[in-house]
Amino acid sequence: MGDDQLIEETIAFVKETLQGAEGGHDWFHIQRVFRNTIRIARDENVNILVASLGALLHDIADAKFHDGDETVGPKMASAFLASLAVEQDVIDHVVKIIEHISFKNSLEDGPTFTSPELLVVQDADRLDAIGAIGIARTFNYGGFKNRELYNPAIPPNLNMSKETYKKSTAPTINHFYEKLLLLKDKMNTKTGKALAEERHAFMLSFLEQFYAEWNPIGIKEEA
């Protein structure tokens, strides 16, 4: 099977698998990450097939929708690629991307995997978590989990472990400080860093407007 056909087969598989998924983690999220991966990869020395497959399959079974089980996605991706007789080294690399792409994994110490392909896909995924799309996805997920928009009595936790992050039920605004505003400085590639700047600035502008509307007369919040 040629690379182009493999990508088309993978797109079809992802679309079918993610039918009915939460709006921030659906096919359109995957499509945006895939497109950003292609965009960033133009300026990087990467295996474009591995990067493309990693982008398309990185959220095939996000752990947050599978009771926190981080093994479901890698297993599903591996089985799918094996069914298409993809070379084992490609499968192994794609699985490693899926296992290590998440922001929450940066909150724990210990040995980790890296590759140029992972860095490109990770930047593409992080770009979709910030800016206008990132804001929309954040509030969509907060609504999905029935979380408060904002609660002045609950400050952001800036020192979370991976497990604390996974179990958090904090208001949606806190997520900006606990993750989204941190991503600009965690970008890996030159292109990713450049694209993140504008999106980061947009989030800061949004937050300024949000607080102005939340308390339009400037009365000090009571804890």
Side-chain angles (χ1 to χ4, degrees), residues 29 32-33 36-37 39-40 120-135 137 183-184 187 189 191-200 203:
H29 163 61
R32 292 189 301 270
V33 173
N36 277 329
T37 293
R39 182 178 184 182
I40 295 170
V120 167
V121 179
Q122 192 172 62
D123 275 7
D125 188 39
R126 287 175 174 176
L127 282 172
D128 207 55
I130 60 179
I133 292 291
I135 292 170
R137 292 181 66 214
L183 293 180
K184 176 177 71 69
M187 303 301 285
T189 66
T191 302
K193 292 176 188 294
L195 293 172
E197 289 287 345
E198 181 179 1
R199 299 188 185 208
H200 182 84
M203 291 192 297

Side-chain angles (χ1 to χ4, degrees), residues 51-90:
S52 296
L53 292 174
L56 289 169
L57 294 166
H58 82 279
D59 260 350
I60 195 64
D62 191 304
K64 68 174 67 70
F65 303 109
H66 293 269
D67 298 320
D69 189 343
E70 297 178 36
T71 69
V72 178
K75 288 178 181 177
M76 187 179 295
S78 180
F80 167 72
L81 294 175
S83 74
L84 297 180
V86 175
E87 294 180 4
Q88 190 61 48
D89 62 331
V90 172

Side-chain angles (χ1 to χ4, degrees), residues 17-35:
T17 302
L18 295 183
Q19 283 185 2
E22 181 267 332
H25 298 81
D26 58 4
W27 158 247
F28 293 111
H29 163 61
I30 302 299
Q31 184 182 60
R32 292 189 301 270
V33 173
F34 176 54
R35 289 172 173 172

Side-chain angles (χ1 to χ4, degrees), residues 75-148:
K75 288 178 181 177
M76 187 179 295
S78 180
F80 167 72
L81 294 175
S83 74
L84 297 180
V86 175
E87 294 180 4
Q88 190 61 48
D89 62 331
V90 172
I91 296 176
D92 292 343
H93 198 161
V94 171
V95 166
K96 288 291 186 183
I97 289 173
I98 297 169
E99 290 174 336
H100 292 85
I101 191 172
S102 177
F103 168 80
K104 65 181 177 292
N105 291 328
S106 69
L107 301 176
E108 64 179 359
D109 298 323
T112 188
F113 166 84
T114 191
S115 73
E117 291 77 15
L118 168 62
L119 299 182
V120 167
V121 179
Q122 192 172 62
D123 275 7
D125 188 39
R126 287 175 174 176
L127 282 172
D128 207 55
I130 60 179
I133 292 291
I135 292 170
R137 292 181 66 214
T138 298
F139 282 100
N140 190 83
Y141 185 73
F144 178 79
K145 300 295 287 187
N146 197 30
R147 293 179 181 172
E148 293 178 288

Side-chain angles (χ1 to χ4, degrees), residues 151-168:
N151 187 331
I154 304 176
N157 182 350
L158 304 181
N159 295 291
M160 286 193 289
S161 67
K162 178 179 177 179
E163 287 306 310
T164 302
Y165 178 86
K166 288 171 64 175
K167 296 176 181 177
S168 175

